[in-house]
Amino acid sequence: NLSLRRAASAELIVDGAITAEKLSAGEVITNSAQIRALIVNTAHLADASVTTLKIGAQAVSADWNSYAAGWLSLTGMLDIQSLTISDATTGNCPAYVTFSAQVELGRSTLGRARGFFQIMLSGVGELGTWNVEQYVPAGLPIQLPVSMTRRFIMPAGGSAVLTVNASNVEADTFRFRYRRLEVNVFKR
């Protein structure tokens, strides 16, 4: 007579029995994963929504600005704002420069009040010139906002000096306040 009887528990795989050292697979699919450190050579993401993304400061773009609030009156040509950039990681990268200010134009007689300002890049020259012109009543200056933006490529070494200069062409009053010069560089 043959008789069988269980001598001990017959569980072949118990909790914790499969460790990373014992797992080798071409592909593992789970409902969710918690991974301490991940190295990915190729990725296919069906849903790439991200709730919190951490990118190092100035890893994608870098910004510089200079600001001055007080009135600056012009009688001739004058540098009114400048900004120096020295960052090797921005060399040959696309950038935008924006100058904005409040301008006041005035005349002692009825007529056209006119001046201009331009943005200069060291080693390159003029990025743009803008005329500021308005007919004004005698003795009653007007104020208007100006804002101009130009795209340029940062010099190879990543160093640049941007300067805004302005000139009073035909006005008794030509002055600027709230001057802001800003550069945004988009790293490759």
Side-chain angles (χ1 to χ4, degrees), residues 120-127 155 159-162:
M120 306 293 287
L121 176 61
S122 59
V124 173
E126 180 184 320
L127 294 178
S159 293
V161 177
L162 289 113

Side-chain angles (χ1 to χ4, degrees), residues 22-58:
K22 294 184 174 71
L23 179 63
S24 174
E27 182 177 291
V28 176
I29 298 174
T30 65
N31 288 336
S32 65
Q34 292 182 0
I35 301 169
R36 183 178 309 276
L38 176 66
I39 298 172
V40 178
N41 293 327
T42 303
H44 173 76
L45 303 173
D47 179 2
S49 62
V50 176
T51 55
T52 302
L53 182 62
K54 294 181 182 178
I55 297 176
Q58 296 192 348

Side-chain angles (χ1 to χ4, degrees), residues 6 8 23 34 40 46 49 55 75 80 83 94 97 109 125 137-138 144 167 180 182-183:
R6 187 162 78 180
L23 179 63
Q34 292 182 0
V40 178
S49 62
I55 297 176
T75 54
I80 62 172
L83 181 61
V97 57
T109 60
L144 55 135
S167 181
R180 182 179 178 87
E182 181 175 1
V183 175

Side-chain angles (χ1 to χ4, degrees), residues 105-110 136-142 172:
L105 292 167
R107 288 180 55 97
S108 57
T109 60
L110 174 68
V136 295
L140 197 62
I142 62 159
D172 294 330

Side-chain angles (χ1 to χ4, degrees), residues 156-169:
S159 293
V161 177
L162 289 113
T163 305
V164 178
N165 57 50
S167 181
N168 181 343
V169 177

Side-chain angles (χ1 to χ4, degrees), residues 65-137:
N65 64 69
S66 77
Y67 179 80
W71 282 110
L72 181 62
S73 297
L74 301 170
T75 54
M77 176 73 87
L78 183 66
D79 290 348
I80 62 172
Q81 201 77 11
S82 66
L83 181 61
T84 300
I85 299 170
S86 183
D87 182 347
T89 66
T90 63
N92 294 317
C93 292
Y96 288 89
V97 57
T98 300
F99 174 72
S100 58
Q102 183 174 359
V103 176
E104 184 176 270
L105 292 167
R107 288 180 55 97
S108 57
T109 60
L110 174 68
R112 179 176 67 167
R114 183 167 64 102
F116 72 87
F117 65 94
Q118 58 189 5
I119 300 175
M120 306 293 287
L121 176 61
S122 59
V124 173
E126 180 184 320
L127 294 178
T129 298
W130 296 271
N131 287 311
V132 181
E133 167 175 335
Q134 183 71 41
Y135 281 93
V136 295

